Amino acid sequence: MWLDAIGVSNTEAAEAFRQIDANGDGQLSVSELVQAVPAYHLGEIDVPLLGR
C-alpha cells in the first residue's frame, strides 16, 4: 500500500519486494525493512522507496 500511495507501479513494487526480501520467504520482516533503508541511500539496492 505504501508504494502504491507514492505512485510506484505494481511491477516496480514487485521488484522492490524481491530485492528487500533478503531471505526469500515472501514476507518482509522488520529487520529486512530496516536494512533496506541504508542500503537504498548507499545505492546498494535500486528500489523506489521514496517514489519516482
Side-chain angles (χ1 to χ4, degrees):
M1 291 189 320
W2 166 32
L3 294 176
D4 185 45
I6 60 174
V8 176
S9 73
N10 288 341
T11 302
E12 289 175 309
E15 177 59 20
F17 188 95
R18 187 191 67 71
Q19 289 186 45
I20 296 170
D21 184 17
N23 65 4
D25 70 353
Q27 297 181 43
L28 298 181
S29 67
V30 170
S31 176
E32 288 169 326
L33 291 170
V34 168
Q35 291 172 9
V37 173
Y40 170 80
H41 288 290
L42 292 171
E44 296 171 355
I45 59 173
D46 182 29
V47 297
L49 294 180
L50 302 176
R52 291 267 182 219

